[in-house]
Every structure is written in C-alpha cells, then in structure tokens.
C-alpha cells in the first residue's frame, strides 16, 4: 500500500474538539472548511462524520492545499483554491445550495508566518509582501511606499489599534523619501524609532497586523463571508468562527448579535416589520483554549471561537 505524502509543513489546529462538538449536527451533512490550511480541522471532522458526508475545503493558499493527501479522509472531499469571499461561487460550481456547517479559522497558517519570504513576521527579515494570495497585486511594499502619510496613520490606527500611529506614519514617510522601503526589517526600524522601547514588541505586532489586514482586505472579506455563510446554512446548520484578534472577534460578535435579534410584534405593526431572527447564538461568551492547549500551542492563547445556528423560520 502506498504511504500518504509526507507533509512538508506543520500547523497545529486549535480548539479542535470544541469545533467538532459545536459545529456538527448532522453526521451525513455537507461541511465547508473555509480556511482549510493543512486540513487539521477537516481531518478531525472527517473522523466524526459518516462516510456519506461531504467535505469542502477552501483556502487561497495553494501551497497549503497541495500538502493534503486526500486519502486522509473517507468522505467525498472538494478542495478549492480561492478566497472564502467566493463561497457562493464555490457552492454553485459544485451544484450545492445549502450546507450543514461552515468553519472559519481566520488568519495565517504557521508555516506562512514562519516563512521569511512572505514578510509577515517582524522577527524574520524578508521582502515587504504580506499577501495571503500571491497572485494579488497589492503588496505591503506598495502600501508602505505609495499611500499618503494620513492613509498610513489611519491604517495603523484602525487595523492595528496602535496609538503611536501618526508618529510611525511620519517616520515611514521620512524614511521612504531617501529610499524606497522594500524589506520587513525596514518597516521594523520605522516602528522601533517611533515608540518607547518598553512597548516596541506590542507596537511591532500591531503595525504588522495592520498592514497585513490592509493588504489582504481582511475585514471586508470577513464581512462578506459572514453574510454569505449565514445565507447558505440549512435551518439548524451552524457557523463556527475562530478569530485571533479583537477586530475580527468584534465583527463576528456583532454579526451574530445583529442577526439573532428579533423584533416582536407590537400593536399597529405590519407583518414586514416583525422579524424572526436568522441566527441563534450557541456560544454566549467565546470559547477559549483550555490551559493545557494554550501552554502547548502559543497560537491557541489568542483564539476565540464563536458559534451560531441558522434558525428555522427567519425573516429578513
Ligand atoms: C489559521 S489557518 C487554518 C488552519 C487550518 N484550520 C488547519 O487546521 O490547518 C488559516 C488559513 O486560512 C487561509 N485564509 C485566510 N484568509 C482567507 C481567505 N480570505 N480566503 C481563503 N483562505 C484564507 C490562510 O491561507 C490559512 O491557510
């Protein structure tokens, strides 16, 4: 018997048992892993599901998808390399109308973060790239060198929640007037020279996060996929989202809160004003990693899992 291909990269999936327990409600259903990565969550779901279930894995990183030996799952598995904002298109192409569960485990896989050529980590000098999908045109280099000082400050403040945003933006603009910034270590220098040494690491993490979010339009695509995912769930189907920073978690929380609100009938209301909620929140507070998992996997420490279920009789 042939051995499955050796996985070249590693990524330890987070909150695996919690995802399996909270996402699956039909053992023969159709499940979408919208952030397939190295397939850690899909593999765990596969072990739980009946063989007649269907699995769909989406990732915009072809390098990740190519690592997965399909023989690791018993069910029918469709792997699609695209942005999860194209969820509807993916399902249309597969002639699938509704699904029973969708998982989004947001952010980066560990091997991309650890690859200096991708430019994501301030600790690893590399090109200022930061694209999840390397066929996209916009890179961190373009953002850093062509956006106005005000645009840079706004991005750093909005997506990094960094209060030294104006000073850092000014420094970037000063540096780029003498020479274009092309390396992640140059961006690191701009931050280091602008903030109190005591807070450097936090500021660096925030600034790198901010540029990554801008380059990959992360907040826009998240908003789009939350709407699309809610629409394609069967009644009783579930959406599970793991986020790693407060901006994402806030967006998921607000989406679940907004769509789980009802507008009860009041005297004098017409039928169209009465709203039955689209979603029921399964998690009140977000689920976080147990101390044992957090101690073994640093990524798990910031992970927050929220799950909601599509209701049976929703109205717009
Ligand atoms: C945290 S990793 C997922 C790891 C995966 N759960 C596992 O067990 O291996 C996130 C993955 O989502 C992908 N990703 C992030 N944003 C995406 C998007 N908008 N569309 C498609 N894939 C995306 C990344 O390329 C990365 O592989």
């Amino acid at each position: 018997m042939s051995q499955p291909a050796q996985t070249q990269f590693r990524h330890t999936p987070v909150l695996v048992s919690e995802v399996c327990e909270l996402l699956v409600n039909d053992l023969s259903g159709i499940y979408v892993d919208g952030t397939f990565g190295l397939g850690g969550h899909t593999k765990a779901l596969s072990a739980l599901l009946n063989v007649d279930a269907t699995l769909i894995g989406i990732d915009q990183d072809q390098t990740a998808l190519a690592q997965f030996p399909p023989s690791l799952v018993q069910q029918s598995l469709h792997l699609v390399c695209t942005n999860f904002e194209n969820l509807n298109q993916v399902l249309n192409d597969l002639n699938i109308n509704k699904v029973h569960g969708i998982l989004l485990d947001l952010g980066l896989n560990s091997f991309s973060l650890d690859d200096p050529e991708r430019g994501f980590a301030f600790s690893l000098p590399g090109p200022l790239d930061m694209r999840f999908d390397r066929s996209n045109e916009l890179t961190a280099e373009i953002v850093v060198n062509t956006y106005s000082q005000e645009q840079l400050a706004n991005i750093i403040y909005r997506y990094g929640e960094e209060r030294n945003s104006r000073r850092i933006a000014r420094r970037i603009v000063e540096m780029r007037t003498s020479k274009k910034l092309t390396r992640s270590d140059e961006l690191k220098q701009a931050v280091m020279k602008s903030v109190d040494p005591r807070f450097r690491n936090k500021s660096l993490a925030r600034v790198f996060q901010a540029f990554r979010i801008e380059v990959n339009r992360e907040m826009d695509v998240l908003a789009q996929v939350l709407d699309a995912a809610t629409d394609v769930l069967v009644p009783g189907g579930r959406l599970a989202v793991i986020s790693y920073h407060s901006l994402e978690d806030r967006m998921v929380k607000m989406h679940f809160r907004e769509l789980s609100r009802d507008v009860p009938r009041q005297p004098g209301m017409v039928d169209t004003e009465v709203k039955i909620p689209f979603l029921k929140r399964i998690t009140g507070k977000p689920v976080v990693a147990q101390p044992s998992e957090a101690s073994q996997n640093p990524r798990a420490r910031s992970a927050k899992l929220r799950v909601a279920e599509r209701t049976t009789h929703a109205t717009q």
Side-chain angles (χ1 to χ4, degrees), residues 208-224:
F208 273 65
Q209 170 183 298
F211 283 109
R212 197 196 82 193
I213 291 176
E214 172 67 14
V215 167
N216 298 292
R217 299 183 296 113
E218 286 179 53
M219 302 316 294
D220 292 346
V221 296
L222 179 57
Q224 282 181 43

Side-chain angles (χ1 to χ4, degrees), residues 39-298:
H41 285 104
T42 293
K43 213 170 87 181
L45 288 169
S46 159
L48 196 71
L49 296 171
N50 295 337
V51 284
D52 60 347
T54 301
L55 294 164
I56 301 161
I58 299 174
D59 203 295
Q60 58 186 354
D61 186 345
Q62 179 59 41
T63 319
L65 292 175
Q67 300 299 311
F68 193 78
S71 58
L72 285 186
V73 303
Q74 288 183 300
Q75 297 79 4
S76 142
L77 170 69
H78 307 274
L79 291 183
V80 185
C81 184
T82 189
N83 192 303
F84 56 52
E85 68 181 334
N86 303 318
L87 175 66
N88 281 329
Q89 187 61 48
V90 171
L91 297 179
N92 279 344
D93 291 349
L94 294 168
N95 283 322
I96 291 172
N97 284 329
K98 295 282 175 194
V99 303
H100 299 82
I102 300 174
L103 168 66
L104 299 171
D105 174 20
L106 299 171
L108 271 176
N109 45 56
S110 311
F111 60 89
S112 299
L113 186 64
D114 295 342
D115 179 356
E117 288 308 305
R118 307 292 295 270
F120 290 117
F122 63 81
S123 52
L124 301 170
L128 264 179
D129 190 314
M130 299 200 194
R131 287 171 300 176
F132 284 173
D133 175 351
R134 279 185 272 188
S135 65
N136 284 343
E137 276 180 17
L138 188 66
T139 61
E141 180 178 320
I142 295 176
V143 174
V144 164
N145 289 290
T146 64
Y147 282 25
S148 70
Q149 185 172 320
E150 190 182 352
Q151 283 176 312
L152 292 172
N154 287 344
I155 287 167
I156 295 169
Y157 185 70
R158 195 164 156 221
Y159 294 151
E161 302 186 292
E162 166 60 47
R163 55 198 182 92
N164 297 300
S165 55
R166 303 216 166 277
R167 208 178 310 156
I168 297 168
R170 196 179 325 124
R171 179 70 68 165
I172 291 173
V173 171
E174 272 165 27
M175 285 174 71
R176 78 184 188 196
T177 47
S178 50
K179 180 191 160 293
K180 189 173 165 189
L181 308 188
T182 58
R183 310 272 308 163
S184 59
D185 28 325
E186 292 168 329
L187 178 59
K188 182 175 174 179
Q189 279 305 315
V191 179
M192 304 254 286
K193 286 181 181 161
S194 312
V195 301
D196 185 319
R198 285 175 300 161
F199 309 123
R200 270 180 188 162
N201 275 355
K202 284 217 162 115
S203 294
L204 281 165
R206 293 193 194 111
V207 172
F208 273 65
Q209 170 183 298
F211 283 109
R212 197 196 82 193
I213 291 176
E214 172 67 14
V215 167
N216 298 292
R217 299 183 296 113
E218 286 179 53
M219 302 316 294
D220 292 346
V221 296
L222 179 57
Q224 282 181 43
V225 76
L226 290 175
D227 283 342
T230 306
D231 277 349
V232 298
L233 286 174
V234 294
R238 291 186 173 188
L239 169 60
V241 187
I242 305 174
S243 50
Y244 295 88
H245 59 74
S246 55
L247 293 177
E248 286 171 344
D249 183 55
R250 210 174 299 147
M251 185 177 276
V252 177
K253 181 166 89 176
M254 296 314 285
H255 179 83
F256 285 1
R257 183 187 287 170
E258 191 56 33
L259 292 190
S260 60
R261 263 211 326 241
D262 56 357
V263 178
R265 182 176 290 282
Q266 306 282 334
M269 254 186 181
V270 293
D271 279 353
T272 50
E273 290 172 315
V274 179
K275 288 194 173 59
I276 301 168
F278 262 90
L279 292 175
K280 179 174 92 183
R281 280 177 283 183
I282 300 299
T283 51
K285 282 195 161 59
V287 176
V288 296
Q290 294 292 325
S292 53
E293 181 178 5
S295 67
Q296 281 168 29
N297 182 3

